[in-house]
Amino acid sequence: MLTPRLALLLTLPPLLWAGNAVVGRLVATSVPPLLLNSLRWGLVFLLLLPLSWRLLRHPGPLLRRWPYLALVGVLGMGCYNALQYQALRSSTALNVTLITASMPVWMMAVGALVYGVKPTRPQLLGALLSLVGVAFVITHGELARLAELHFLPGDLLMLLAVFSWALYSWLLARPPAHMQGEEKPAWNWAETMMSQLAFGLIFAVGSAGAEQLWTGQPIHWSPALLLALVYVAIGPSLIAYRCWGQGVAEAGPALAAFFVNLTPVFAALMSAALLGEWPAWYHGAAFALIVGGIVVSTRRPAASS
């Protein structure tokens, strides 16, 4: 059941991730994207150190579960952002946003193929409403613009990114079968995040190193860049991943995925605010459709007589 508390848990991440997209665009000329991602998670690592000292002093549970933790860390903190940043180099924001809007479909597909959880009719209808809502945002209410879409090389990378996030979310909710009988470590939220970050950060740093070897783009340090780093480390990383993990555990990955589509709506509103523009009618229509998709997806299918 979707309670107000659970709705808040799942709404905060897309709100903070929208801010991450806006901030990322503002500092795009100051720091390469993959290097920004590795600096972001490196700062999170330092912030979590004082809160996760037990994990480092007693690494036994971490070492026993390392294959699972390495997988979720690489998928959730390394692959998704790295693939998304690379996709934007050879695709368009329109294509990338639309592919991201297919997240509920991919989440249901992973649930059906990997975990045997078949999507319900309300979930499929909710996914359609949510996808139309995102289309309203990115086309400014002119859905005919979708006919201008063309397949680009970066689209495949974005599909892989969405798939990695879907698999990451399901793994959070349902670890592998051989682990489900194990007693979970008595980790607090910071230790749980650190256990994933310890592996995800390795991938993020490696991606940034490869980017530097390929492009050689330097960093232009400034107070604005430092403030951006603090924001992306605390908001879209610490707070958002904490809320997402707890929300997915309580609501399930299929329902949680619908909230991801609030991200482009929030990002559009933030961008409009920075430009001094009032929200347009299509922002309200998109928000209504996406929320409608969330509400519809929570309905139980009618029992057959």
Side-chain angles (χ1 to χ4, degrees), residues 41-95:
W41 289 114
L43 183 54
V44 173
F45 183 88
L46 294 177
L47 293 172
L48 286 176
L49 274 178
L51 304 174
S52 55
W53 59 271
R54 289 190 310 166
L55 178 68
L56 303 178
R57 288 187 59 185
H58 305 286
L62 176 67
L63 297 177
R64 287 194 297 270
R65 297 163 63 92
W66 78 264
Y68 165 72
L69 294 171
L71 181 59
V72 295
V74 169
L75 287 174
M77 298 173 179
C79 279
Y80 181 77
N81 290 310
L83 288 169
Q84 184 184 46
Y85 289 143
Q86 289 303 316
L88 284 168
R89 293 186 173 212
S90 54
S91 185
T92 64
L94 181 66
N95 285 28

Side-chain angles (χ1 to χ4, degrees), residues 25-260:
R25 285 195 292 267
L26 291 174
V27 299
T29 58
S30 299
V31 58
L34 298 187
L35 184 55
L36 173 62
N37 187 52
S38 66
L39 290 172
R40 160 193 181 179
W41 289 114
L43 183 54
V44 173
F45 183 88
L46 294 177
L47 293 172
L48 286 176
L49 274 178
L51 304 174
S52 55
W53 59 271
R54 289 190 310 166
L55 178 68
L56 303 178
R57 288 187 59 185
H58 305 286
L62 176 67
L63 297 177
R64 287 194 297 270
R65 297 163 63 92
W66 78 264
Y68 165 72
L69 294 171
L71 181 59
V72 295
V74 169
L75 287 174
M77 298 173 179
C79 279
Y80 181 77
N81 290 310
L83 288 169
Q84 184 184 46
Y85 289 143
Q86 289 303 316
L88 284 168
R89 293 186 173 212
S90 54
S91 185
T92 64
L94 181 66
N95 285 28
V96 166
T97 307
L98 265 182
I99 293 172
T100 304
S102 67
M103 179 72 74
V105 177
W106 285 96
M107 202 74 80
M108 287 185 283
V110 170
L113 295 175
V114 180
Y115 293 92
V117 180
K118 295 182 179 179
T120 64
R121 286 185 180 180
Q123 287 176 333
L124 293 172
L125 177 58
L128 178 60
L129 288 173
S130 185
L131 185 59
V132 173
V134 173
F136 261 91
V137 175
I138 61 179
T139 63
H140 291 190
E142 299 176 13
L143 296 182
R145 292 177 58 190
L146 295 177
E148 303 172 6
L149 287 175
H150 299 285
F151 180 79
L152 297 169
D155 296 347
L156 179 58
L157 294 177
M158 197 60 219
L159 284 172
L160 290 173
V162 170
F163 175 76
S164 72
W165 186 260
L167 188 56
Y168 165 74
S169 298
W170 272 103
L171 284 169
L172 288 182
R174 296 193 179 187
H178 71 276
M179 293 177 53
Q180 293 179 8
E182 296 181 7
E183 182 179 354
K184 291 185 178 180
W187 291 336
N188 59 33
W189 69 270
E191 291 162 343
T192 300
M193 185 177 291
M194 177 65 91
S195 68
Q196 302 172 29
L197 179 56
F199 299 98
L201 183 59
I202 296 174
F203 185 88
V205 171
S207 300
E211 178 186 54
Q212 282 297 294
L213 289 175
W214 183 262
T215 66
Q217 181 181 344
I219 303 179
H220 302 287
W221 292 103
S222 67
L225 178 57
L226 293 175
L227 287 175
L229 279 173
V230 171
Y231 170 75
V232 298
I234 295 177
S237 303
L238 274 175
I239 299 175
Y241 273 67
R242 158 66 170 159
C243 292
W244 181 257
Q246 189 170 348
V248 166
E250 296 183 21
L255 174 57
F258 287 92
F259 285 82
V260 174

